Amino acid sequence: MTQSVVVQVGQCGNQIGCRFWDLALREHAAVNKKGIYDEALSSFFRNVDTRNGGDGADIHKGKIFSLKARALLIDMEEGVVNEILQGPLRDVFDSKQLITDVSGSGNNWAVGHQLYGCRYREHIVEKLRRMAEHCDCLQCFFVIHSMGGGTGSGLGTFVLNVLEDEFPEVYRFVTSVYPSGEDDVITSPYNSVLAMKELNEHADCVLPIENESLFSIVSKIHQMTNSGKLGSTVKQNSLLTSSSGSIKTEQEKPFDAMNNIVANLLLNLTRLDQMFSDAFSKDHQLIQADPKHSLYLACALLVRGNVQVSDLRRNIERLKPSLHFVSWNQEGWKTGLCSVPPVGHSHSLLALANNTCVKPTFTELKDRFMKLYKKKKWAAEMLASTRDHWTSQSPARKWKTRLELYLNKTKEREDNSEVSSQQEKQIMRKQPVVELTLLPLNNTVYLKNLQQSIKLG
Amino acid sequence: MSIVTVQLGQCGNQIGYEVFNAICSDFHSTHGICSKKENESYQEACKERFFSEEKTGVPVARAVLVDMEPKVISQTLSMAARSGHWKYDHQSHFCQKQGSGNNWANGYSVHGPTYRDVIMNLVQKEAEKCDRLSGFFTVMSMAGGTGSGMGAYVTQCLRDAFPTSFILNQVIWPYGTGEVIVQNYNSVLTLSHLYQSSDALLVHENDAIHKICAQLMNIKKISFRDVNQVIAHQLGSVFQPTYSSEGASQYSRSPLGDLMESLVPHPELKMLGLRNIPQMSENSLAYSTFTWPGLIKHLRQMLIAHAKMEEGIDWQVRPPLPGHPVPPKASPNQALHFNTSVANLVVLRGKDVQSVDLGGFRDPALYTSWLNPQEAFHIWKTPRAFNKYEKSASLVSNSQFLLQLMDNVVGKAWNMFASKAYVHQYTKFGIEEEDFLDCFTTLEQVISSYASL
């Protein structure tokens, strides 16, 4: 089995990461009754012999001595990390897996990226190398961060840069929490857009999550039961890796740059088929988007629990007519089955989709950015840290233009209008990524639906 | 003579296990009404063909298991060992950790060459265990990365290392509604490469088998295990020992050779389809009886009407009358009402096989004009019943069965290729656009050869 390393950056990243490790341990505990360190555990945990104190050697087989998470915790303030280290998960983290500072990034992307990035680069590289050496076969890095703050967005994207330089062959999956419209951090639009540029260039796959969606999902959970966890969505990562031997990123990325994925979390108390239907409805997305009315480029369905191939096929056939797939990939489905259900439930469904419905999200972000930038509010502070990152406003517009062009193109093919395609060709010529079919190919598209339907059984 | 099975990728290994299981359970099943002597010689032949002896007395399957992930192989090995009736040789497997990520190029250009020597060593060892090697039977899917990509590479290596042995590739056609996003690319690449090195390709479609499970076997919640068991039953019904010619006194020594000789008269026409009748759940079996004329009539109609199972056959389809020219088919996209065959093989097992009348299959109207029915139609028989079916008949056909399928897959793959979608994932590993174009050309040629029958 292959291994993955989780890098959690900033307050949000670390808080989510903490819940992730908690769930991962509970999942393994539910299945691994004999306490044997097996391949599934090794994907996220090391088995370390701490009896003789210090950095014990890794034990690859046999009984579990002490499980250490394959994680790197980074934060420029100590509060959150300290809390984790004093909490119930303290033994899961190695003291050498932390990078902290005291003063924080002041919600300034530039401070996180430029200042702390430069200062801590060597440290980060060294710790990542050490984690990689402990892995037999490292397959991917999971980066968890938020986009609105300073450390998560700035230093988080810096780490992404480092990962690409040092480990070009290892996949980089990023879970990004996007700020909501009423976010209390004033500079969040700047931070987000600057971070998006980095994600565009250095991430293989992005799962955007919006706090608004999480709030509505949590309130749904509260309605149905009395428990709910805010960070529970990110745990989908564990589903992805434990159920598939190799991460099939190719499935979702038709073009080199299209790697944004919209995530959906779905809770369902009813039957199996209902779970599938809900997975595609807009109420259960991890960002505010409606995938049914947009174009799907590809969709992956990963089921856990007692679900058979016939259930999967039946539901795909049932739902297919109501979903719009891109013309050259009408059967763009990837299916996977894992017989181990998630802890506390009898089955669940994870749907990841590469869908154009993220366009409104990014358009809104861009609008918020422009509002601030027009008045040059706060720009001076950020400019003081860096000059040339201001060109990053254009990527947001580029993607939007490209998405529009793509969607227009689809419409045009129906209209058969020559003129607009000429215009597009002109526009396209300016973009360095023109391809044969005039589709936006080299841009990171943040479109993935991560949908989990959990039947409370 | 023995057959060495090479199980490639997750699908290949799971099916391979079910095949050996089916063969073993047939081996142990009651022999119907054939004589004890007959039964013993059947069992002898079956054992020599598929298993080797070991000191412990448990037959060891003549198989090499290859996969780029460890899960499936370790599951397969342990399930076989637990059965008690047979097992795999625990040295005869090869696996890695990372998998191929459903990427044909990864399997073919990266994993293939890297692990070529190790895998060929394992195959060589198995081949040496055989007194006489009849040939190789590979099991793989077309949609994934290892089975398809690495499978194509391994087939090439087999051809290079064993130029005079027969190679039969069993390929699984994925669900039409999509199970792997790049399945069309993977299928096109696999088919075109296999065509160069393999002697024949035997195809099973997931969709068809799924329907058999749902409608004939009455299984409510169909799992992959059910699908694989049906496939294994069909394969077993062809490859278990038979007498391949009239008046033969011993079981055929060279099943693969006989198969190739009968069914593949032209190197351009290698696609074989398989139909088996009857197929039903065990519970229903106890209450059903069959007559040979009924079975043969259904089988013949399944052949000419492109039916995949014995329910829902279109009885309106008739062979063209002599003297009337066959209506020209403008393109393979037109629904092919009548299935023209190149060659057919019918395998009969069970009670009263000597009395079966197969005249319907000798009708020249069924066949293409450049081969007459004497040469195009073959029968293999044995009075020994197969796996609880008192009478069973299988049809292996080199005909236009797969024409529509191939055309669809090539069409979809071309559509995607024209948009250059996912191509960068393949070029990353060394499969360039020219390679894709070559593959499309090869397959278009095969399609047009079949269409013009």
Side-chain angles (χ1 to χ4, degrees):
Chain A
M1 188 83 107
T2 54
Q3 287 84 37
S4 309
V5 172
V6 174
V7 183
Q8 25 195 98
V9 191
Q11 169 182 351
C12 174
N14 277 293
Q15 282 173 334
I16 293 180
C18 180
R19 308 304 298 145
F20 165 73
W21 291 109
D22 176 62
L23 183 63
L25 283 169
R26 281 192 292 129
E27 290 246 350
H28 284 291
V31 176
N32 192 339
K33 301 284 184 213
K34 295 187 186 153
I36 305 283
Y37 179 70
D38 58 11
E39 299 241 334
L41 269 170
S42 80
S43 59
F44 281 103
F45 295 94
R46 292 166 51 210
N47 188 16
V48 176
D49 185 355
T50 49
R51 281 175 301 185
N52 301 326
D55 191 14
D58 271 19
I59 303 165
H60 295 281
K61 282 197 179 126
K63 272 186 60 106
I64 297 174
F65 278 98
S66 171
L67 286 176
K68 293 286 177 203
R70 297 187 195 276
L72 186 55
L73 286 71
I74 304 179
D75 200 0
M76 295 297 105
E77 279 174 335
E78 291 181 325
V80 179
V81 174
N82 278 343
E83 215 183 297
I84 296 176
L85 292 179
Q86 282 157 17
L89 289 175
R90 58 180 169 278
D91 291 325
V92 172
F93 299 108
D94 209 321
S95 55
K96 296 187 217 58
Q97 292 165 257
L98 317 168
I99 299 181
T100 54
D101 201 311
V102 282
S103 29
S105 304
N107 285 328
N108 186 332
W109 182 93
V111 170
H113 198 272
Q114 306 289 92
L115 189 65
Y116 287 120
C118 295
R119 190 184 294 179
Y120 286 104
R121 186 175 219 275
E122 297 305 320
H123 271 98
I124 294 172
V125 171
E126 189 214 319
K127 292 193 196 285
L128 286 171
R129 287 242 155 261
R130 176 130 14 107
M131 309 239 65
E133 272 158 30
H134 286 303
C135 297
D136 226 345
C137 181
L138 176 62
Q139 188 167 76
C140 91
F141 287 104
F142 284 101
V143 178
I144 311 178
H145 70 144
S146 68
M147 302 284 275
T151 306
S153 87
L155 190 54
T157 45
F158 182 82
V159 168
L160 209 52
N161 243 309
V162 169
L163 289 175
E164 192 178 26
D165 290 335
E166 300 291 320
F167 306 93
E169 300 293 315
V170 181
Y171 289 113
R172 295 170 290 283
F173 273 63
V174 186
T175 303
S176 307
V177 180
Y178 278 70
S180 56
E182 300 86 35
D183 196 50
D184 53 0
V185 174
I186 299 178
T187 49
S188 64
Y190 287 163
N191 295 332
S192 305
V193 172
L194 290 164
M196 269 186 92
K197 172 186 181 267
E198 299 295 318
L199 287 180
N200 199 33
E201 285 169 21
H202 305 294
D204 285 316
C205 181
V206 179
L207 282 80
I209 302 178
E210 281 185 305
N211 272 333
E212 282 162 24
S213 307
L214 293 178
F215 292 146
S216 69
I217 288 166
V218 170
S219 60
K220 268 200 208 99
I221 303 177
H222 273 298
Q223 279 169 12
M224 292 194 248
T225 64
N226 283 326
S227 65
K229 297 187 187 71
L230 201 53
S232 56
T233 57
V234 186
K235 287 148 196 178
Q236 302 330 311
N237 293 340
S238 69
L239 279 173
L240 271 174
T241 47
S242 57
S243 59
S244 55
S246 69
I247 298 190
K248 313 216 194 291
T249 18
E250 300 86 59
Q251 304 304 317
E252 298 289 317
K253 282 179 57 180
F255 307 111
D256 219 347
M258 300 182 116
N259 58 17
N260 258 294
I261 289 190
V262 174
N264 280 331
L265 173 63
L266 183 65
L267 298 174
N268 198 331
L269 288 177
T270 58
R271 305 160 305 137
L272 197 62
D273 288 9
Q274 185 62 37
M275 175 172 82
F276 278 89
S277 306
D278 288 340
F280 289 93
S281 84
K282 69 171 166 57
D283 298 325
H284 299 98
Q285 312 280 324
L286 283 178
I287 65 167
Q288 302 282 301
D290 184 6
K292 269 199 160 152
H293 293 109
S294 313
L295 202 61
Y296 276 89
L297 288 126
C299 185
L301 292 174
L302 300 166
V303 282
R304 292 182 65 175
N306 187 18
V307 183
Q308 297 300 349
V309 70
S310 54
D311 300 314
L312 203 51
R313 306 275 20 131
R314 183 181 68 243
N315 279 290
I316 290 178
E317 278 169 29
R318 188 171 61 89
L319 293 165
K320 173 91 204 307
S322 59
L323 304 170
H324 305 289
F325 271 82
V326 75
S327 64
W328 39 261
N329 197 6
Q330 287 289 316
E331 294 86 27
W333 298 94
K334 160 72 189 156
T335 56
L337 295 131
C338 173
S339 54
V340 179
V343 79
H345 306 288
S346 62
H347 46 254
S348 77
L349 166 67
L350 179 70
L352 297 169
N354 202 335
N355 188 305
T356 57
C357 66
V358 289
K359 181 173 147 187
T361 308
F362 296 152
T363 313
E364 256 183 57
L365 186 61
K366 193 201 118 198
D367 292 339
R368 290 201 294 251
F369 178 96
M370 289 312 294
K371 239 201 236 166
L372 268 186
Y373 188 55
K374 280 203 174 95
K375 304 187 183 159
K376 293 287 191 285
K377 280 210 167 79
W378 301 106
E381 283 79 1
M382 295 189 93
L383 269 174
S385 309
T386 166
R387 281 211 164 270
D388 40 19
H389 277 268
W390 285 114
T391 56
S392 68
Q393 195 277 331
S394 44
R397 195 178 37 179
K398 263 192 211 156
W399 305 311
K400 184 174 166 248
T401 320
R402 285 175 187 178
L403 279 167
E404 276 167 347
L405 281 171
Y406 175 78
L407 294 171
N408 286 342
K409 209 158 286 61
T410 331
K411 191 170 169 302
E412 271 163 27
R413 276 196 208 110
E414 296 159 1
D415 296 349
N416 257 331
S417 152
E418 298 255 324
V419 179
S420 39
S421 54
Q422 282 298 329
Q423 285 174 345
E424 279 166 22
K425 277 185 191 146
Q426 279 184 347
I427 300 170
M428 281 311 213
R429 246 178 253 130
K430 289 180 193 164
Q431 318 282 6
V433 296
V434 178
E435 284 287 354
L436 178 71
T437 52
L438 303 181
L439 285 172
L441 298 180
N442 277 356
N443 238 337
T444 306
V445 170
Y446 295 61
L447 301 167
K448 279 183 187 174
N449 287 315
L450 183 69
Q451 297 163 328
Q452 189 193 29
S453 159
I454 302 182
K455 178 164 177 176
L456 296 180
Chain B
M1 278 165 85
S2 316
I3 299 177
V4 171
T5 303
V6 184
Q7 311 180 176
L8 296 146
Q10 170 177 351
C11 173
N13 279 294
Q14 286 174 335
I15 291 184
Y17 165 77
E18 296 294 348
V19 170
F20 281 108
N21 225 11
I23 291 174
C24 207
S25 80
D26 176 45
F27 182 92
H28 289 291
S29 75
T30 58
H31 46 88
I33 62 158
C34 77
S35 68
K36 193 152 178 274
K37 185 159 160 286
E38 185 74 61
N39 190 35
E40 275 168 9
S41 100
Y42 180 86
Q43 289 178 327
E44 234 357 275
C46 165
K47 227 186 197 178
E48 195 209 352
R49 205 174 271 192
F50 296 109
F51 299 95
S52 60
E53 277 300 331
E54 228 199 35
K55 289 180 276 278
T56 56
V58 177
V60 177
R62 297 187 192 278
V64 178
L65 294 77
V66 178
D67 197 4
M68 291 295 108
E69 284 173 338
K71 302 193 297 270
V72 181
I73 288 192
S74 55
Q75 243 179 358
T76 310
L77 289 175
S78 64
M79 283 200 306
R82 274 204 305 264
S83 75
H85 293 298
W86 67 281
K87 61 180 187 161
Y88 283 107
D89 180 349
H90 283 244
Q91 308 291 333
S92 277
H93 75 272
F94 176 75
C95 59
Q96 286 297 289
K97 303 215 192 239
Q98 182 119 7
S100 302
N102 284 169
N103 188 323
W104 192 93
N106 199 1
Y108 186 85
S109 311
V110 177
H111 292 311
T114 316
Y115 304 116
R116 178 206 176 116
D117 292 331
V118 182
I119 295 175
M120 290 313 290
N121 254 338
L122 290 176
V123 173
Q124 188 74 36
K125 272 209 214 112
E126 275 300 327
E128 278 164 15
K129 277 196 222 163
C130 305
D131 271 340
R132 282 175 66 183
L133 180 66
S134 166
F136 297 96
F137 177 59
T138 74
V139 193
M140 59 218 266
S141 70
M142 293 206 301
T146 303
S148 69
M150 214 175 144
Y153 189 81
V154 167
T155 307
Q156 232 169 275
C157 299
L158 285 175
R159 175 54 72 213
D160 293 334
F162 301 90
T164 53
S165 296
F166 294 106
I167 302 180
L168 175 66
N169 288 79
Q170 151 75 24
V171 291
I172 301 295
W173 209 277
Y175 283 102
T177 47
E179 15 174 332
V180 167
I181 297 198
V182 288
Q183 64 189 45
N184 298 317
Y185 280 168
N186 292 343
S187 303
V188 163
L189 291 163
T190 308
L191 284 172
S192 53
H193 281 259
L194 284 181
Y195 235 78
Q196 323 289 356
S197 10
S198 158
D199 288 310
L201 281 76
L202 185 58
V203 174
H204 271 109
E205 302 163 57
N206 269 348
D207 282 307
I209 308 290
H210 192 108
K211 273 214 193 98
I212 292 178
C213 284
Q215 293 176 351
L216 298 182
M217 314 283 288
N218 269 322
I219 303 174
K220 294 278 175 289
K221 265 195 148 201
I222 302 169
S223 66
F224 271 120
R225 187 105 200 265
D226 300 315
V227 172
N228 293 344
Q229 280 172 346
V230 172
I231 296 176
H233 175 89
Q234 294 199 342
L235 290 172
S237 73
V238 172
F239 290 111
Q240 282 290 59
T242 51
Y243 294 104
S244 53
S245 49
E246 287 296 333
S249 57
Q250 55 171 353
Y251 280 106
S252 156
R253 301 303 303 282
S254 176
L256 288 183
D258 290 338
L259 194 83
M260 303 306 173
E261 206 186 0
S262 327
L263 292 175
V264 189
H266 192 292
E268 192 69 11
L269 302 166
K270 289 180 181 171
M271 305 289 293
L272 307 177
L274 175 51
R275 303 283 182 270
N276 174 263
I277 181 173
Q279 194 114 47
M280 54 179 47
S281 66
E282 270 189 43
N283 304 336
S284 317
L285 198 52
Y287 302 103
S288 317
T289 49
F290 306 100
T291 60
W292 280 119
L295 288 175
I296 298 301
K297 192 164 159 215
H298 274 79
L299 200 59
R300 181 174 179 271
Q301 195 62 22
M302 277 163 73
L303 168 64
I304 62 184
H306 284 285
K308 314 248 161 107
M309 56 184 192
E310 62 250 43
E311 254 177 51
I313 305 176
D314 183 358
W315 290 96
Q316 299 302 321
V317 180
R318 295 251 183 283
L321 294 168
H324 289 74
V326 177
K329 297 167 192 110
S331 78
N333 283 329
Q334 283 181 345
L336 286 175
H337 291 292
F338 176 74
N339 180 28
T340 311
S341 307
V342 175
N344 288 315
L345 165 67
V346 168
V347 184
L348 301 171
R349 297 177 186 273
K351 189 171 162 195
D352 298 332
V353 283
Q354 295 309 327
S355 60
V356 181
D357 170 26
L358 286 159
F361 279 96
R362 293 205 176 87
D363 182 355
L366 263 55
Y367 298 96
T368 181
S369 56
W370 42 267
L371 209 57
N372 72 56
Q374 265 75 343
E375 293 150 358
F377 178 64
H378 306 267
I379 315 173
W380 294 357
K381 301 184 196 176
T382 172
R384 208 273 199 180
F386 177 68
N387 235 345
K388 301 190 181 95
Y389 285 85
E390 185 197 49
K391 299 186 178 89
S392 69
S394 304
L395 167 69
V396 184
S397 168
N398 188 347
S399 61
Q400 294 169 324
F401 263 158
L402 298 155
L403 182 49
Q404 195 67 45
L405 268 184
M406 281 198 288
D407 198 51
N408 283 344
V409 140
V410 171
K412 289 188 197 143
W414 180 254
N415 223 358
M416 210 189 260
F417 184 69
S419 335
K420 292 286 183 290
Y422 300 103
V423 174
H424 66 284
Q425 305 280 5
Y426 290 80
T427 48
K428 196 159 72 166
F429 293 109
I431 299 292
E432 300 300 327
E433 291 181 17
E434 292 82 46
D435 299 313
F436 271 95
L437 291 172
D438 287 337
C439 293
F440 281 116
T441 319
T442 314
L443 285 186
E444 288 290 351
Q445 214 164 323
V446 173
I447 290 174
S448 82
S449 307
Y450 272 102
S452 63
L453 281 181

